[in-house]
Amino acid sequence: MAVKVAVNGYGTIGKRVADAISLQKDMEVVGVTKTKPDFDAKMAIKKGYRLYAAIPDRVKVFESAGLEVEGTIEDLLKEVDIVVDCSPNKIGAENKKLYEKLGVKAIFQGGEKKDVAEVSFNAIANYEEAVGKQFVRVVSCNTTGLTRLIYTIKKNFPIKKVRATMIRRVVDPKEDKKGLVNGIQPNPIKLPSHHGPDVQSILPDVNIITAAFKVPTTIMHVHSVAIEMEKDISEEDIKSAFAEEPRIMLFNSEDGFTSTAKIIEFARDLRLRYDLYENAVWEDSIGVVDGEVYVTQAINQESIVIPENIDAIRAMLELMDKEESIKETNRTLKIGVLD
Ligand code: NAD
């Protein structure tokens, strides 16, 4: 029997989580929530999702806009085994009070502080730690991308120190109220950035320093990563470690992948909504100089965390073990598949 899931906050991440759940045999979306009757709310209904008001006293607002809601978030939570909270940054911590009151398991997103949950989660790095847990946080897009890359190297070869610079898309494509039209913004100005400690919330033994800059683009982040290794290693060693991990996809500039614009154009042809769930690693960026590995990757911020949310549901509800869950999520989302 399929487990019952609520998606609280049908926005950029929430709508993708709902669609990914709909592709799984062992889980179903019971309902999704919105705060207002906008085009996203109308599309949710059109796609067949039952709509609930994320804020109870907004039911009237939906009704006066002619949109039927099934009830409030509290009504929805009473029907489910788990909720995936996809509300805006810091709102998840507020929503947690309701989840605790009703005794519902909850997954939070990377916009929440790590103490919102018992475990910070990345499927390939620490699936087992989330097994049976009440509250889990799927880390942010940048931390997911970094953690996957570092873990894939680390599980094959011992590493000494990681330095990573992140060039971040300033906002998501739909965001028309904020942005950076002309400039490169060190973010934060005082180093290091929070991404290093966030990676350590999953891989505590990794020595990592990070810096981050925002730039005027909306489609992907780019990470320039340097990893000091404990032992001698070759470029081929790194390439084959990446090639074996389905959640990492290798791209080559010889095929025309000269920028994130080209990677996203490829993803537009490949996937629903151009979602690229994999780290996009430039194969020909991989280099080894004086025992240090250099690599550049791009991360589609809107989609990278979606498979992790699916695997977190399975871990918390003890539906499958790590290998089985990752394999099933990869199969259903066509991760690592090029046709
Ligand atoms: P979003 O603004 O696109 O969507 C948030 C949704 O939550 C909206 O539909 C909004 O109506 C709804 N909402 C507002 N108040 C609510 C409340 N009180 N309760 C429930 N829902 C409420 O935001 P997003 O980009 O999807 O981000 C959601 C979370 O995912 C954040 O923690 C964010 O940091 C994280 N995240 C975002 C990205 C990204 O690039 N967009 C990537 C990884 C992680």
Side-chain angles (χ1 to χ4, degrees):
M1 210 179 66
V3 297
K4 296 179 186 308
V5 189
V7 176
N8 194 14
Y10 189 78
T12 301
I13 300 298
K15 64 175 80 164
R16 288 172 168 82
V17 168
D19 289 349
I21 292 169
S22 305
L23 294 172
Q24 315 302 316
K25 282 198 219 89
D26 53 349
M27 54 188 84
E28 64 171 303
V29 180
V30 173
V32 303
T33 76
K34 283 290 299 174
T35 51
K36 42 181 194 290
D38 62 3
F39 66 91
D40 264 341
K42 289 175 188 163
M43 184 57 83
I45 291 177
K46 214 170 163 173
K47 285 184 154 206
Y49 295 124
R50 293 164 75 208
L51 187 68
Y52 291 75
I55 299 170
D57 61 13
R58 297 271 174 90
V59 171
K60 297 187 282 297
V61 183
F62 283 93
E63 282 171 355
S64 39
L67 233 68
E68 206 172 309
V69 287
E70 311 275 339
T72 66
I73 175 65
E74 197 153 339
D75 299 322
L76 174 59
L77 291 175
K78 286 179 185 150
E79 293 185 55
V80 299
D81 301 299
I82 191 164
V83 54
V84 185
D85 187 293
C86 302
S87 62
N89 295 353
K90 314 284 184 288
I91 303 285
E94 287 298 311
N95 292 340
K96 186 180 173 187
K97 295 170 197 155
L98 185 59
Y99 308 151
E100 279 173 322
K101 186 177 111 183
L102 298 177
V104 183
K105 290 191 184 227
I107 296 173
F108 300 95
Q109 307 302 316
E112 305 304 319
K113 292 197 174 133
K114 78 168 186 182
D115 62 10
V116 77
E118 301 154 276
V119 175
S120 290
F121 181 79
N122 176 268
I124 65 170
N126 72 340
Y127 184 98
E128 291 88 353
E129 285 178 40
V131 171
K133 290 288 189 297
Q134 178 83 6
F135 296 122
V136 166
R137 178 181 73 123
V138 170
V139 292
S140 73
C141 43
N142 280 302
T143 305
T144 297
L146 274 179
T147 304
R148 270 192 204 156
L149 182 110
I150 295 166
Y151 178 79
T152 302
I153 296 181
K154 183 178 162 351
K155 82 168 190 193
N156 291 285
F157 314 99
I159 65 175
K160 208 188 274 178
K161 181 169 185 179
V162 182
R163 296 183 197 84
T165 302
M166 271 147 297
I167 300 150
R168 303 175 57 188
R169 65 86 181 95
V170 63
V171 290
D172 287 340
K174 73 172 184 189
E175 292 181 295
D176 54 8
K177 286 200 178 142
K178 32 183 190 166
L180 174 73
V181 175
N182 178 26
I184 297 173
Q185 184 185 27
N187 182 255
I189 291 179
K190 188 166 168 47
L191 297 180
S193 76
H194 72 277
H195 303 94
D198 214 22
V199 168
Q200 287 165 332
S201 71
I202 297 174
L203 302 172
D205 58 337
V206 169
N207 181 354
I208 173 169
I209 297 287
T210 52
F213 299 81
K214 284 186 179 171
V215 296
T217 182
T218 62
I219 50 178
M220 292 186 109
H221 305 296
V222 167
H223 299 170
S224 171
V225 185
I227 306 179
E228 257 181 76
M229 305 300 294
E230 290 281 2
K231 294 189 183 141
D232 278 352
I233 193 164
S234 71
E235 289 174 13
E236 283 316 310
D237 291 334
I238 298 291
K239 286 181 190 174
S240 38
F242 288 162
E244 275 167 29
E245 173 47 63
R247 291 194 183 177
I248 291 179
M249 199 180 269
L250 292 170
F251 292 81
N252 210 298
S253 63
E254 279 176 11
D255 292 329
F257 293 111
T258 47
S259 72
T260 52
K262 294 292 195 320
I263 292 176
I264 283 295
E265 181 62 9
F266 163 85
R268 283 189 185 104
D269 291 336
L270 186 71
R271 296 270 164 78
L272 167 76
R273 285 200 196 98
Y274 69 80
D275 284 352
L276 197 63
Y277 307 112
E278 301 90 338
N279 295 28
V281 169
W282 267 282
E283 184 172 8
D284 42 350
S285 75
I286 298 169
V288 179
V289 182
D290 292 338
E292 197 159 0
V293 172
Y294 295 91
V295 51
T296 305
Q297 66 173 355
I299 302 296
N300 178 218
Q301 75 281 353
E302 298 160 287
S303 56
I304 188 106
V305 298
I306 306 309
E308 314 303 318
N309 275 278
I310 301 300
D311 291 325
I313 293 171
R314 293 215 179 87
M316 293 167 74
L317 295 174
E318 300 181 59
L319 302 178
M320 289 183 193
D321 68 21
K322 175 180 173 178
E323 302 306 321
E324 253 185 309
S325 176
I326 290 177
K327 210 167 152 193
E328 185 59 7
T329 307
N330 289 355
R331 188 186 70 77
T332 50
L333 298 184
K334 299 193 165 69
I335 290 172
V337 177
L338 284 177
D339 51 23

